[in-house]
Amino acid sequence: MSQGFVLRALRGATTADANSAEAIEVAVAELVDALVARNGLAGAQVVSVTFSVTRDLDACFPAAIARRQAGWEQVALLDCQQMGVAGDLPRCIRLLAHTWLHPERTPVHPYLREAARLRPDRVQR
């Protein structure tokens, strides 16, 4: 896949409405869909994705949700807990994705829902 492509790290984040499997599933699916659509990614371009969640989210694994993404059968997926920092955004799901992008393409880092305030410089309107 590397011929004509460059390896890029993409960041993104969102928030879940509640600590439930359903709410986390909706938020992760929305975040992954935004990552794929905004960067024009096909499954083979995604190398790995690490998800981190705040301590108040423990109802399910985000990677298990992302694994359902079409074409992601070979993507390395990992979950971890975000370090606890006073005043952190509650119910936050962050991701770090390593992808192959065309060199001319500007990476887009999706920050959705309440997580948009973490990086106002990255919010797409």
Side-chain angles (χ1 to χ4, degrees):
M1 173 51 78
S2 65
Q3 190 172 6
F5 289 81
V6 292
L7 186 61
R8 295 283 187 235
L10 303 175
R11 289 291 318 252
T14 191
T15 53
D17 291 336
N19 181 28
S20 69
E22 297 79 17
I24 295 169
E25 181 173 350
V26 168
V28 169
E30 182 181 53
L31 181 58
V32 168
D33 287 348
L35 180 80
V36 168
R38 294 177 186 182
N39 288 286
L41 297 172
Q45 289 175 260
V46 182
V47 176
S48 66
V49 181
T50 300
F51 292 93
S52 68
V53 298
T54 49
R55 292 181 186 187
D56 53 1
L57 292 177
D58 62 5
C60 68
F61 294 106
I65 297 160
R67 194 171 319 284
R68 301 177 199 153
Q69 183 77 16
W72 282 33
E73 295 80 14
Q74 300 301 314
V75 176
L77 299 165
L78 178 68
D79 292 307
C80 59
Q81 188 176 73
Q82 184 75 22
M83 62 183 272
V85 175
D88 194 13
L89 185 63
R91 296 183 312 278
C92 189
I93 303 163
R94 294 172 171 91
L95 66 72
L96 173 63
H98 292 94
T99 65
W100 294 107
L101 288 181
H102 290 285
E104 314 82 39
R105 187 165 200 118
T106 301
V108 179
H109 308 273
Y111 284 80
L112 310 176
R113 300 180 181 207
E114 292 299 313
R117 67 182 178 174
L118 296 173
R119 293 298 304 262
D121 59 317
R122 304 268 179 163
V123 176
Q124 282 194 326
R125 298 202 191 322

